[in-house]
Amino acid sequence: MRVVLAEDLFLLRQGMVQLLESYDFEIVAAVDNGPALLDALVTLRPEVAVVDVRLPPTFTDEGLQAALEARRRHPGLPILVLSQHVEQLYAKELLADASGGIGYLLKDRVLNSDQFVDAIRRVADGGTAMDPQVISQLLAGQSRREPLSTLTPREREVLKLMAEGCSNTAIAQRLIVSQGAVAKYTTSIFTKLDLAPADDSNRRVLAVLAYLNGTRADAI
């Protein structure tokens, strides 16, 4: 799997290169600034990119801006944001693009290599990998407009686990309920969010995006 990495700290960047190569990823570029990241994403078109938010030259939001621009040029480019910060404005814009895999992890909450590698592969396959703290920060202060306000507390709990990339089986284990109960919750969520019958993986992504953005998701 071809990967582009963007991280300004040398030791962390080289450590990720060595880690991912040990899992048979091909690192086609490892860059330390926003312009170099955009160039690598556009010209190399990796299968997935792992991107820090704050990169030179200004250390504000160059990583996310480069990721957004690259997805405008190449829709569906899988992006996994790995950062110490939640940059809400651009993060929401990135997550609102339902084409291609997306993820947002916090560096200090990635606890082992298997968790990190699984998130990369999930995003590369078109799925989502969201840290619960990122979700909480993106949701903080948002209005609970219809139809999101119609979700029950349990449905919101299920949706948050969906955003983390959990399967129905994993959700059932986390909530200590049956898989049949989880299936009923997800069906209810899709109905309340007006997501027409379609491929369930796509509906799951759209449901998560609707939750994160606090707005109504369009049917596929």
Side-chain angles (χ1 to χ4, degrees):
M1 184 181 296
R2 301 170 67 252
V3 181
V4 164
L5 292 177
E7 167 58 54
D8 63 295
L9 298 178
F10 171 77
L11 290 179
L12 182 54
R13 185 173 64 253
Q14 290 303 111
M16 286 195 293
V17 168
Q18 293 180 18
L19 170 66
L20 294 182
E21 286 181 341
S22 73
Y23 280 84
D24 295 325
F25 289 92
E26 178 186 358
I27 309 304
V28 295
V31 302
D32 64 359
N33 63 81
L37 171 60
L38 179 58
D39 180 66
L41 293 177
V42 171
T43 59
L44 299 175
R45 299 191 66 174
E47 294 172 78
V48 65
V50 181
V51 177
D52 193 4
V53 171
R54 300 183 180 182
L55 296 172
T58 68
F59 292 97
T60 54
D61 50 28
E62 284 85 354
L64 274 177
Q65 290 203 50
L68 285 167
E69 180 58 30
R71 279 173 72 104
R72 292 187 192 103
R73 301 188 194 184
H74 299 302
L77 179 67
I79 301 289
L80 174 62
V81 177
L82 178 67
S83 180
Q84 291 178 317
H85 315 280
V86 179
E87 185 62 43
Q88 295 201 21
L89 178 62
Y90 291 108
K92 288 178 182 178
E93 185 177 349
L94 177 64
L95 294 169
D97 180 0
S99 63
I102 49 175
Y104 204 129
L105 301 181
L106 297 178
K107 291 178 180 177
D108 60 357
R109 286 172 53 80
V110 177
L111 303 179
N112 56 65
S113 58
D114 288 341
Q115 176 192 4
F116 184 42
V117 168
D118 177 70
I120 293 174
R121 288 176 173 155
R122 194 186 313 153
V123 170
D125 289 339
T128 58
M130 300 294 298
D131 187 290
Q133 285 194 8
V134 173
I135 296 171
S136 296
Q137 289 190 45
L138 291 176
L139 288 172
Q142 289 193 80
S143 62
R144 297 296 186 257
R145 291 174 289 181
E146 295 290 346
L148 294 179
S149 61
T150 65
L151 297 181
T152 67
R154 177 62 92 180
E155 288 167 350
R156 286 182 176 276
E157 200 171 3
V158 169
L159 193 46
K160 179 175 284 191
L161 292 173
M162 286 167 59
E164 295 177 42
C166 292
S167 65
N168 281 6
T169 300
I171 293 172
Q173 292 172 346
R174 292 276 289 274
L175 299 182
I176 316 178
V177 297
S178 69
Q179 291 188 47
V182 174
K184 290 180 180 178
Y185 287 132
T186 57
T187 298
S188 177
I189 290 167
F190 296 152
T191 300
K192 290 179 179 180
L193 295 183
D194 249 355
L195 296 175
D199 178 69
D200 270 357
S201 62
N202 289 336
R203 288 206 293 176
R204 290 172 82 91
V205 171
L206 290 177
V208 168
L209 295 174
Y211 188 44
L212 292 174
N213 288 302
T215 59
R216 187 173 186 148
D218 293 328
I220 296 176

